[in-house]
Amino acid sequence: MTLKEKRAADIEKVLAKYPTKRSAVMPLLYMAQEEYGFCSDDAMREVADITALDPTEVKSIVGFYTMFFEEKTGQYVIEVCDDLPCALRGADAFVHHCERKLGVQAGQTTPDGKFTLRTVMCIAACDRAPVAQVNREYRYSLTPESFDKMVDDLGGARSTAAGPQTA
Amino acid sequence: MEKHVLLRDLDVPNIREIAVYQANDGYAAWRKAIGSLEVAGMKPDEVMGVVKDAGLRGRGGAGFPAGLKWSFLPKDMFPKYVVVNGDESEAGTFKDHQLVENNPHQVIEGVALCSYAVQAGTAYIYLRGEFYEPAKALQKAIDEAYAAGLLGKNIFGTSYSLDIHIHLGAGAYICGEETALLESLEGKLGQPRLRPPFPAVQGLYAKPTVINNIETLANVPPIVLYGAKWYRQFGTEKSPGTKIFCVSGRVNKPGNFELPLGQYTIRDLIEMAGGTIDGRPVKGILPAGSSAPILPASVLDTKLDYESVAAAGSILGSASFVILDDTVDIVWAARKMVRFFKHESCGKCTPCREGTFWALRVYDKIVSGHGTQRDIDMLVDVANGMANKCFCLLGEFSTSPVLSTIKHFRPEYEQFIREHHDGKSGIYQDELIRDHAISVLSEAPTGKSH
C-alpha cells in the first residue's frame, strides 16, 4: 500500500495547512518515516509525487535534516545528548554505558535490529541531564540503572557484561 | 518570583488545561482585545501600542523591541503571517520547552494577540523536531481553543478570523535563524536568506511576516491585560519585564528561573540553582549557551539584563546560563562547543562551513595529544578569518567559544599542550573516536552535517 492509500486523511489535513504543497514536505517525510521506518527511495518518490517536487529535491531535504533517516534503523532509535550542558553532568560516561549495555557503538544498530544508538546535539532538556529520546519521546534524568531497565523493558535483555562489538 | 508572569505553571497547578487557564485570567486579554458583536474591543494599533509602550524586547536572543518589529509590516499588503520561533536549539536553552508543555494557552493567546495586532489571518508555530511530545501538548491546547471559539472563523462574532498551525522542524540548529526558519517552513533546506528584503516586508511566501520567539509572545497577554505601566514595574528602563533564565551545567539544581531583568546578579542566579556542585569555585559562565563569549568568575556580580551582560563582555541572548566550575577542562569545553557549530553549520557560506571544520580539526589535534603551542594562534587565526565574514550569525557565533576561551584561559591551553603533546597522552579518546566514527558514518554523499 502506498502512503497515499494508507494515510489519505492525514495527507489532506497536512496539505490544507499551507498555501503551497511544498511546505508539506517535512510533515510528509515524518509520515513516510512512521510508515516505512526510514525515508526509503520509494518513500521519497511518493512524497515528491504528493508535493509536486522533484525526487532529488526531496532527497536533498532528507539529507539536510538529521531527523530524517536515509537508512533502515532499529525498531527503537535511542538518541542521547552529549552536548556541553549534558556533558557537564556526565553525559559522555553515560553514552559509554549505553554502548556497553547495547553492545554497539553510537551510530550503530544492534544485530537483532531492535535498537539504534545515536548521539545528538542539545535537545533542550539540559536541566534533566543525562537525557535521551526514544523514538522522539523524552527520557529525562537517566542513570545507568534506569537506562538498563528501559532497554530491558523494551525487550532488549542483553547482558551488561558483553563488550562493545561491531555490527 | 512570588508570582510568575510566564512560568505560571509553578503557581497554578494544571494551568495547561483550558478551564484552569481561563479561571485564572486566561484569554481575558484576548477577549479584551478582540471584543465581540456587542462590545467593542481594542483596535489592532492599540494592541501594538501597548506592547510598544511596555518596551517588550525579543526573548529569542537579539533583544529587538517586539512592538517596533510589528510596526514594520506594511498596512495594506495581505495576507500577512505570524511565525513563532520555537526552534529552541541553543545549547543550554530549555525555556520554551517548559512554556509549550506546561503553559501552552498563554503561548497561544500571545500568538493570537500578535496576529490580531498585525492583522494576520494565519500563524505558524515552528517547533524543533525533537519537540514531538511538547507539540502534542500544544496541539491539544490549540484544539481546545478552537472548540471554545477562541480561534477559527469570525471569532466572537467579529470579522476577525485566525488559524494557528504547528510545524515541526527536523533537527537543524540553523532553523532558529529567522530567515532559515522561513525557508524550512516553505519546505526547503534551512539556510538563511539575504537581507534585505526583511521578513517584515517579504517573509513567509514573500508576504509581510512577523517572527517572534515563544517566550516573547508569552509576555503579550499580561501586557495587554494589565497594561504597559504594570509590566514596567518589573525590570529596568531599557530591559523591562521578566525573563526566563535557564541554568544548567555544574550546579546542584539546574532549571528555569523567571526573574525581573536587572534585579539579580549572576551570583544570585547560581545561588538560586542550588549553588555549584560540591560548592566548587566557578570557572566560567556562558550566558547564552555556546553562542555567547564565556565570562570569567570575576564578573559574577554582573546584573542580569541586556546592557549589563554586554558591558561585562558577552551577550544575554536567550539567557541560557551554562555554569562551568573549576573541575571543567576549558579546552575540552571549547572543543564541545566548536563541535556543535561544525555539526550545525548549514554549509551555505564558505567561512562558516570551512572555518568550523578546520577549527574542530585543530581542537582534535590538541585534544588527541598532538598539539603545539602554535596551534593556539592557529585557532585564533581561523576564528578571525571567519569573524564578520559569515552569511549569518551562526558562523559569527561559532568564533565565540574559540576566541573567548583563549582570551580568558590561554594559560590553560598552554598547559594542556605542554602536558599532552607527545601523541600518546591525549585524553578524551573515547569521545574523539565516537565523534569520528559518527562523522564517517554520516558523511554520505548527501552531505548531512555531523
Side-chain angles (χ1 to χ4, degrees), chain A residues 16-20 22-23 25-27 30 34 53 59-71 82-85 87-89 91-92 95-96 99 105-108 118-128 133 135-138 140, chain B residues 81 88 91-94 97 124 128-133 165-172 174-175 184-190 205 248-251 254-255 286 322-324 328 332-333 336-337 339-340 343-344 346 430-431 434 438 441 446 448:
Chain A
K17 278 165 66 170
Y18 311 98
T20 68
R22 182 174 189 136
S23 277
V25 65
M26 286 166 73
Y30 275 124
E34 279 161 26
L53 287 172
K59 185 151 182 150
S60 78
I61 288 161
V62 170
F64 185 85
Y65 295 97
T66 56
M67 290 176 72
F68 297 131
F69 305 129
E70 288 158 272
E71 285 159 40
D82 70 341
D83 211 349
L84 181 62
L88 290 169
R89 305 183 75 79
D92 285 310
V95 173
H96 198 59
E99 290 179 321
Q105 287 173 344
Q108 295 179 336
R118 308 209 311 164
T119 52
V120 289
M121 297 295 154
C122 189
I123 50 176
C126 327
D127 52 337
R128 290 170 277 183
Q133 289 199 315
N135 292 354
R136 292 196 282 166
E137 289 179 3
Y138 277 106
Y140 299 112
Chain B
Y81 292 103
E88 186 154 72
T93 315
F94 41 86
H97 187 170
Y124 292 99
R128 60 178 302 174
E130 292 85 351
F131 282 175
Y132 170 69
E133 289 172 299
H165 302 293
I166 296 175
H167 185 93
L168 275 183
I174 185 62
C175 292
S184 181
L185 193 44
E186 289 183 9
K188 300 172 190 160
L189 304 188
Y205 309 119
S248 65
R250 304 290 299 163
V251 291
L286 297 159
V322 184
I323 310 301
L324 281 60
V328 178
W332 167 84
K336 277 273 186 197
M337 291 189 270
R339 182 190 69 142
F340 174 83
H343 179 271
E344 299 297 350
C346 80
D430 276 2
E431 287 171 55
R434 196 159 67 222
I438 291 164
L441 280 174
T446 52
K448 181 165 315 211

Side-chain angles (χ1 to χ4, degrees), chain B residues 330-352:
Chain B
I330 215 77
V331 180
W332 167 84
R335 181 188 171 274
K336 277 273 186 197
M337 291 189 270
V338 169
R339 182 190 69 142
F340 174 83
F341 286 113
K342 148 80 174 64
H343 179 271
E344 299 297 350
S345 176
C346 80
K348 177 164 181 150
C349 76
T350 312
C352 175

Side-chain angles (χ1 to χ4, degrees), chain B residues 94-350:
Chain B
F94 41 86
K95 61 189 178 62
D96 300 338
H97 187 170
Q98 183 171 347
L99 282 173
V100 164
E101 213 157 47
N102 295 346
N103 193 8
H105 285 289
Q106 190 164 335
V107 174
I108 295 165
E109 191 178 4
V111 176
L113 286 163
C114 172
S115 304
Y116 178 69
V118 301
Q119 290 290 292
T122 310
Y124 292 99
I125 303 178
Y126 188 105
L127 298 178
R128 60 178 302 174
E130 292 85 351
F131 282 175
Y132 170 69
E133 289 172 299
K136 279 197 216 167
L138 185 62
Q139 187 60 54
K140 181 172 169 277
I142 291 173
D143 293 345
E144 287 172 344
Y146 270 102
L150 296 157
L151 300 174
K153 290 251 175 299
N154 300 109
I155 301 164
F156 302 137
T158 64
S159 61
Y160 185 68
S161 302
L162 174 66
D163 285 313
I164 300 182
H165 302 293
I166 296 175
H167 185 93
L168 275 183
Y173 168 77
I174 185 62
C175 292
E177 199 282 337
E178 60 180 21
T179 61
L181 188 154
L182 294 177
E183 289 287 294
S184 181
L185 193 44
E186 289 183 9
K188 300 172 190 160
L189 304 188
Q191 292 183 322
R193 294 177 182 172
L194 198 63
R195 272 167 294 201
F198 288 91
V201 184
Q202 279 187 40
L204 187 64
Y205 309 119
K207 301 295 180 207
T209 303
V210 170
I211 308 167
N212 274 138
N213 176 256
I214 295 248
E215 184 190 353
T216 311
L217 293 182
N219 277 278
V220 175
I223 289 173
V224 171
L225 188 59
Y226 306 121
K229 195 168 162 245
W230 171 85
Y231 189 73
R232 280 184 174 274
Q233 69 175 303
F234 308 109
T236 66
E237 177 64 30
K238 285 184 177 165
S239 301
T242 63
K243 171 91 191 78
I244 303 173
F245 294 85
C246 314
V247 187
S248 65
R250 304 290 299 163
V251 291
N252 285 310
K253 287 183 209 150
N256 285 317
F257 301 88
E258 182 184 341
L259 305 170
L261 283 158
Q263 191 171 330
Y264 296 95
T265 64
I266 300 175
R267 192 188 299 279
D268 298 333
L269 187 63
I270 294 172
E271 263 329 290
M272 287 175 216
T276 53
I277 295 171
D278 299 329
R280 312 274 329 178
V282 172
K283 181 186 264 187
I285 308 118
L286 297 159
S290 302
S291 288
I294 195 168
L295 290 171
S298 58
V299 300
L300 274 175
D301 293 312
T302 303
K303 283 268 199 293
L304 296 169
D305 59 68
Y306 296 97
E307 290 74 28
S308 306
V309 176
S314 190
I315 45 174
L316 183 63
S318 54
S320 23
F321 281 74
V322 184
I323 310 301
L324 281 60
D325 65 15
D326 69 341
T327 64
V328 178
D329 186 333
I330 215 77
V331 180
W332 167 84
R335 181 188 171 274
K336 277 273 186 197
M337 291 189 270
V338 169
R339 182 190 69 142
F340 174 83
F341 286 113
K342 148 80 174 64
H343 179 271
E344 299 297 350
S345 176
C346 80
K348 177 164 181 150
C349 76
T350 312

Side-chain angles (χ1 to χ4, degrees), chain A residues 95-161:
Chain A
V95 173
H96 198 59
H97 173 84
C98 302
E99 290 179 321
R100 268 190 317 203
K101 169 71 182 171
L102 295 170
V104 293
Q105 287 173 344
Q108 295 179 336
T109 300
T110 55
D112 60 3
K114 195 107 190 164
F115 299 99
T116 297
L117 180 68
R118 308 209 311 164
T119 52
V120 289
M121 297 295 154
C122 189
I123 50 176
C126 327
D127 52 337
R128 290 170 277 183
V131 62
Q133 289 199 315
V134 180
N135 292 354
R136 292 196 282 166
E137 289 179 3
Y138 277 106
R139 297 287 193 277
Y140 299 112
S141 305
L142 288 164
T143 63
E145 294 73 34
S146 66
F147 180 82
D148 290 358
K149 185 173 181 307
M150 177 187 88
V151 169
D152 295 343
D153 288 348
L154 293 174
R158 291 184 69 90
S159 155
T160 44

Side-chain angles (χ1 to χ4, degrees), chain B residues 346-364:
Chain B
C346 80
K348 177 164 181 150
C349 76
T350 312
C352 175
R353 185 185 62 239
E354 301 298 315
T356 54
F357 174 87
W358 285 105
L360 182 62
R361 289 280 288 244
V362 179
Y363 273 105
D364 286 355

